[in-house]
Amino acid sequence: MPRFTVAGQHFAGQLASGALIIACLALFPLVASSYQLSTLIISMVFLLPALGLNLILGYAGMLSLAQMGFFGVGGYTSALLAMHFGTPFWLNFSAACLVPALLAIPLAIPALRLRHTSFVMCTIAFVFILESVSKNWVGLTRGDMGLSSVPRPRIGLWSGGFIVHTTVQYYYLGLLLCVLAVAALVTIVRSPAGRYMIAIREDEVLAASIGGRTWHYRLAAFVLSAAFAGAGGSYYVHYVTVISPSVFDPTYTNTVLVVVLGGGVGTIMGPILGGVVFIALSEVLRIAPELRMVVYGLILTTSVFLFPKGIVEPLTAVLRGAIPSRARGSHGR
Amino acid sequence: MVVEPRTALSLRGVRKAFGPIVAVAGVDLDIVAGEICGLIGPNGSGKSTLFDCCTGLLRPTAGRVLAGATDITGWEMARIARQERLLRSFQKAVVFRALTAEDNLVLAGQMTAFPGLAATFGCGQNTRRRVRELRDRAGVLLERVGLAHMRHAKAGEMSFGQQKLLQFASMLMPEPRTILLDEPFAGINPVLIERIVENIRAVNREQGVTFVIVEHNIDVLRDLSHRLVVLSRGSILADGDPDAVIRDPLVVEAYLAG
Ligand SMILES: Nc1ncnc2c1ncn2[C@@H]1O[C@H](COP(=O)(O)OP(=O)(O)OP(=O)(O)O)[C@@H](O)[C@H]1O
Ligand SMILES: [Mg+2]
């Protein structure tokens, strides 16, 4: 009989539920209206930077408010490549992950010397700088006017291929990107490096005392979080087909924070759930424009009082109840 | 011909000052490989600071620290742990609270299983096999310290004594050469103290691991250590056979005077 570790059984269960969720989401366009699909597309736009924030905050324990800065850099990168060189989506998208990641390295060198609130301050400052660059480097970004008529995603190896333009097509593209991103995040956090990141979040000195190269893993978390954010920027810019310095507005950063903190930081399902629920909520509330943000704010406050660890909390509690205790108890193998 | 015994750790004029406060005032000390050395001294005499200087948490204001023949002065903590297998426990922080007992040990073992940085990002067959081996080893060590039943419990939910046992076990994961323990018996009941003492003896005998142990429980230390060093106001006051050191009038006076 094969031997399964408790962790292994747990992981198999998570894989199965993941597959189920993907299947449901893949079938959703059969029953959903175009409005519902575009709401989910917005969720997916925010989910990508949220996954990055989840990695750096939830696993490595550093609050970075630079996510939407990297999102913007990814968006501009992707848009400019498509506009000037007519490159296919996969290439624009890869560059949109790579450029923010590379940009994160020089930024990290001063930032990672800092801890706690000073680090947060430093990441806020990055966004100011990026916003200012996007406004003033008119030759590249067209300043405040921003870039418009960004090409739609062209799915092809090099030339030709087909152009994503319907809502359903955008939905499936987003779903594919999000599934890949979640898979990447799961791979990272389950690797030995991911375990070191958690150790750093828990106690940085203790992590160093058992040989963890804390600086390297904090750098890795920062760089990877930038790549996730850039991915979101690329998907976003080819969806709305415009981008301007307003992308660096703190409102969007707040949305990412709501998705991650409201959903459940440091869990895989939390931000996914947060992305769907909180974005959908803010869309639904458009029926009452004057009261929208008041109600939204009240719901967020209530939610955080009920579920301080995020709305994923009651869900995991339900799932725990469903799994027989033998599979997770302290009996070992 | 007399063969010089190998030293595990040498301090040469190590001094550490925090502004006007001199915590360690020039310490020369050779820890012989394979010995269990007790380190005692009144509160604030600089014992923990000395450990911090040896393990790279603090950089000495002056002096040098050698592990074996390697000068490790100014090295980062993680590098000292990885390259010299010089590990230490802390007086306060003990375990990674959000992780299970088993994962705490796996983490501690990762530095031997994944020496390179890139390898830690792996997710393939090889990585999974090595992590599995670490889990098996963790199981053996948990058994050894009597925590087998807590294997999948969150470390933060364990009692203080159990956390100390877990911390001790985690230092055995990465094939250590030298272990510095900072008050391993503080707040532990006599039964658990006995268990830790047995484990220290066994690891010392079987694997030749060198121990330096800071502890206020002098009775336990007298039985356990081969040698006792007394620190007072940052300097070494006495050094030698435990029984002789404890009877030394200078030592008695230093302890009573505080
Ligand atoms: N980070 C620091 N900043 C300033 N002073 C410090 C610092 N760490 C230690 N000290 C001072 O150095 C001296 C030695 O402290 P240390 O913690 O090494 O003593 P100790 O022998 O471990 O005491 P205890 O038995 O109480 O643990 C004390 O006077 C302490 O106040
Ligand atoms: Mg101390």
Side-chain angles (χ1 to χ4, degrees):
Chain A
M1 219 180 89
R3 292 195 316 171
F4 289 112
T5 61
V6 172
Q9 280 181 15
H10 192 49
F11 185 56
Q14 283 172 339
L15 269 188
S17 40
L20 190 68
I21 294 169
I22 295 169
C24 290
L25 286 171
L27 295 173
F28 191 57
L30 298 178
V31 292
S33 70
S34 154
Y35 172 69
Q36 286 166 336
L37 286 185
S38 36
T39 303
L40 276 183
I41 288 173
I42 308 285
S43 295
M44 297 193 286
V45 163
F46 281 105
L47 177 60
L48 291 164
L51 291 173
L53 177 63
N54 192 29
L55 176 68
I56 188 164
L57 175 63
Y59 292 91
M62 299 181 283
L63 176 56
S64 165
L65 296 183
Q67 282 307 84
M68 290 317 272
F70 293 126
F71 179 96
V73 172
Y76 271 107
T77 304
S78 206
L80 288 168
L81 276 178
M83 290 166 77
H84 290 297
F85 304 104
T87 40
F89 179 70
W90 69 264
L91 188 64
N92 304 333
F93 179 81
S94 310
C97 297
L98 196 64
V99 170
L102 292 177
L103 181 67
I105 296 172
L107 295 181
I109 290 168
L112 292 184
R113 295 180 155 269
L114 305 170
R115 301 287 187 287
H116 313 294
T117 45
S118 346
F119 175 79
V120 180
M121 270 286 287
C122 195
T123 61
I124 294 176
F126 292 160
V127 184
F128 289 151
I129 295 170
L130 292 172
E131 180 178 16
S132 180
V133 170
S134 73
K135 280 183 175 166
N136 293 302
W137 194 349
V138 179
L140 186 72
T141 63
R142 300 194 24 221
D144 277 318
M145 280 164 54
L147 305 173
S148 51
S149 27
V150 176
R152 293 183 179 280
R154 183 163 57 76
I155 308 298
L157 205 55
W158 191 247
S159 58
F162 103 100
I163 310 256
V164 171
H165 63 279
T166 70
T167 306
V168 174
Q169 289 166 355
Y170 270 111
Y171 175 82
Y172 279 117
L173 178 63
L175 187 59
L176 173 71
L177 297 178
C178 287
V179 168
L180 290 177
V182 170
L185 181 67
V186 171
T187 309
I188 296 163
V189 301
R190 288 180 58 84
S191 71
R195 210 172 286 114
Y196 275 132
M197 287 178 194
I198 297 173
I200 292 165
R201 174 194 75 192
E202 292 287 298
D203 189 328
E204 194 177 336
V205 172
L206 195 57
S209 81
I210 52 163
R213 299 166 174 92
T214 52
W215 192 85
H216 295 80
Y217 293 111
R218 292 169 73 231
L219 175 70
F222 192 60
V223 166
L224 288 166
S225 77
F228 278 102
S234 174
Y235 178 54
Y236 162 83
V237 79
H238 295 287
Y239 175 60
V240 298
T241 69
V242 292
I243 186 167
S244 73
S246 69
V247 70
F248 299 109
D249 193 295
T251 315
Y252 300 117
T253 303
N254 291 346
T255 307
V256 174
L257 279 170
V258 165
V259 166
V260 174
L261 298 178
V265 65
T267 67
I268 297 295
M269 273 311 290
I272 300 176
L273 203 64
V276 173
V277 171
F278 292 116
I279 305 276
L281 193 64
S282 105
E283 288 301 311
V284 167
L285 290 174
R286 282 185 198 277
I287 48 173
E290 314 81 32
L291 286 176
R292 179 174 170 231
M293 288 333 268
V294 175
V295 177
Y296 190 55
L298 286 176
I299 293 179
L300 285 187
T301 314
T302 315
S303 134
V304 88
F305 267 100
L306 289 177
F307 313 116
K309 287 182 190 154
I311 54 174
V312 72
E313 210 182 345
L315 189 82
T316 39
V318 169
L319 285 179
R320 284 259 164 78
I323 301 170
S325 62
R326 193 157 37 84
R328 55 180 176 80
S330 53
H331 308 282
R333 297 179 173 175
Chain B
M1 199 180 91
V2 179
V3 182
E4 276 284 300
R6 212 168 56 78
T7 57
L9 192 63
S10 312
L11 309 183
R12 300 262 176 275
V14 171
R15 185 185 152 82
K16 180 71 196 178
F18 300 101
I21 302 168
V22 178
V24 177
V27 165
D28 287 292
L29 185 64
D30 283 310
I31 306 293
V32 180
E35 78 178 345
I36 299 178
C37 175
L39 180 60
I40 61 171
N43 291 116
S45 55
K47 306 178 299 290
S48 298
T49 307
L50 196 64
F51 273 12
D52 293 345
C53 291
C54 294
T55 53
L57 181 59
L58 293 175
R59 204 196 158 103
T61 315
R64 315 220 62 84
V65 181
L66 288 86
T70 320
D71 189 337
I72 57 169
T73 321
W75 284 23
E76 270 178 23
M77 200 174 197
R79 183 172 172 209
I80 293 177
R82 273 199 327 273
Q83 280 175 248
E84 299 304 323
R85 293 292 144 75
L86 172 60
L87 301 179
R88 59 93 50 97
S89 74
F90 294 91
Q91 209 170 329
K92 283 181 239 138
V94 266
V95 288
F96 299 109
R97 303 177 61 85
L99 295 172
T100 62
E102 182 185 84
D103 276 333
N104 264 276
L105 296 197
V106 170
L107 247 172
Q110 280 188 179
M111 69 164 142
T112 30
F114 304 96
L117 182 67
T120 59
F121 285 91
C123 56
Q125 207 74 46
N126 215 347
T127 307
R128 284 205 297 273
R129 181 179 50 74
R130 281 192 230 169
V131 170
R132 213 162 39 234
E133 286 165 5
L134 287 178
R135 289 194 191 287
D136 290 342
R137 194 167 148 67
V140 173
L141 280 173
L142 286 171
E143 193 88 50
R144 179 166 194 169
V145 297
L147 285 177
H149 61 295
M150 300 300 279
R151 187 170 185 165
H152 301 291
K154 282 242 164 69
E157 290 162 7
M158 295 170 35
S159 79
F160 181 70
Q162 289 173 324
Q163 290 181 9
K164 285 240 164 173
L165 282 171
L166 180 62
Q167 183 192 31
F168 179 73
S170 76
M171 275 180 293
L172 303 182
M173 277 297 284
E175 296 156 25
R177 255 182 246 147
T178 308
I179 295 182
L180 313 183
L181 296 172
D182 201 344
E183 303 198 12
F185 310 128
I188 310 272
N189 75 50
V191 179
L192 285 188
I193 289 183
E194 198 42 49
R195 183 180 283 161
I196 299 182
V197 165
E198 277 165 22
N199 274 295
I200 292 175
R201 282 211 179 95
V203 171
N204 174 256
R205 204 173 41 236
E206 291 156 19
Q207 296 160 37
V209 176
T210 311
F211 282 90
V212 183
I213 305 171
V214 164
E215 185 50 56
H216 289 296
N217 188 335
I218 296 179
D219 290 334
V220 175
L221 218 49
R222 176 164 54 182
D223 281 353
L224 178 60
S225 28
H226 306 140
R227 168 188 179 193
L228 203 55
V229 176
V230 184
L231 208 60
S232 172
R233 302 209 183 128
S235 318
I236 292 180
L237 191 67
D239 179 354
D241 174 70
D243 288 312
V245 164
I246 285 168
R247 279 196 303 270
D248 188 333
L250 267 178
V251 174
V252 176
E253 193 191 334
Y255 255 94
L256 292 178

